Amino acid sequence: MPTLTLHPGRDKSLRNRHPWVFSGAVARVDRSARDGDVVEVHAADGRWLARGYLNRRSQIQVRLLTWDPDEAIDGGFWRRRLERALAGRAALAADGRTTAYRLVHAESDGLPGLVVDRYGDWLAVQALTLGIEQVKPLIAALLAELCRPAGIVERSDVDVREKEGLPPHVGVLHGRAPAGPVEVLEHGLRFWVDLMAGQKTGFYLDQRENRRRVAAYCAGGEVLNAFSYTGGFAVYALAAGARRVVNLDSSAEALALAERNLALNGFDPAAQAEAVAGDVFTVLREWRAAGRRFDAVVLDPPKFAHTQAQVERAARAYKDINLLAMQLLRPGGVLATFSCSGLVSADLFQKIVFAAAVDAGRDAQVLERLSQGPDHPVLLTFPEGEYLKGLLCRVW
Ligand code: SAH
């Protein structure tokens, strides 16, 4: 097996089982090593540290797979890791009321670069790295055997693949593609998910627990669901007794599916909901000027910061929408505000929401701090895996 040797003093994070080796830490790589293949990672003094797959095109040159010198990266390895990830989700699916959840959360499940989501009888896979791209057929065969799905689709149409030198790809890895949107359950609520063309792998599974917790504050009220996508928070809010919901999103396709999701759960989209296609920054300004008010506002924007250089601009954008949302809230109303930018820490996010409250001249109390659901676990050795943060605030 080819060897990769680190610079002196660059082995600490590996000893702490952090799964990434950055290019700056690498002193040399054997000539025989090919990108995508497994390499042995050695400290500068020659001591064996760990084993992982290589890609010199990426800033992250190695993603580590094992710290056990006796553990080979073979079929048995991938099977054991998949079985462990599946076992970790068993409790989530036990009552049969939730059929959509993340089965494999990449690094956090010891499977760097691999995401697998379950949607009822179907699986959706993302191969984010060259190392995973190379074992994709094996992973698909193991998933087929372990999960017995009707089909496994691939949704590797993500920008991060560029950094690995890979083109985007969408296709079918096993069985057949679903004929249209697939019906799934979350806490007994029903949703249509478009695996082939929806955002991400079709649904924002990381918000499942938050949808339920936010809904508990929506009974009797009028709820603005900003960045609604297919209406997840709206369906939960109505199920919890909200009087009316407004779904606001820039995507007409997402709003169309949101209407179908409301109807699927027995709600009347005409009487109990409103769908508004538009830009949140613009529409909230218009409504503020027009004196429109709500009892609860959900702000679940897309990732605003993709690089460190974008964090400052992202912070301004978060502050802008949070200020607007607070100004649209009736006194005593509830704001559920999220950031899925990993580069914006929970601490920074709280400071941004604080600044918005000060500018709005409103008292905001944190009632709950929210994070990603338990099917998106955070490995203690890989804090980067924690990306979603939210504050549930009462605003006076
Ligand atoms: N809350 C949703 C997920 C939101 S994902 C859920 O629970 O499923 C973010 C959404 O924001 C996407 O649907 C995207 O279409 C939308 N979006 C992105 N930028 C926007 C903008 N400026 N104005 C309105 N919607 C926007």
Side-chain angles (χ1 to χ4, degrees), residues 279-296:
D279 171 44
V280 168
F281 294 85
T282 310
V283 173
L284 263 52
R285 276 197 167 71
E286 287 167 9
W287 288 350
R288 177 178 65 183
R292 191 156 179 192
R293 297 295 178 262
F294 296 91
D295 301 298

Side-chain angles (χ1 to χ4, degrees), residues 35 55 93 103 123 132 143 152 169 189 194 225-226 255 261 276-277 311 317 339 370:
D35 284 338
N55 189 355
L103 279 177
L123 298 182
I132 291 298
L143 286 170
I152 305 177
H169 180 73
L189 295 170
D194 187 345
N225 185 18
L255 288 171
N261 282 334
V276 180
V311 168
S339 163
L370 306 172

Side-chain angles (χ1 to χ4, degrees), residues 199 204 211 227-229 233 249-251 278-281 300 302:
Q199 298 181 23
Y204 289 83
R211 286 191 269 267
F227 305 98
S228 65
Y229 188 48
F233 280 95
D249 201 284
S250 52
S251 160
D279 171 44
V280 168
F281 294 85
D300 185 19

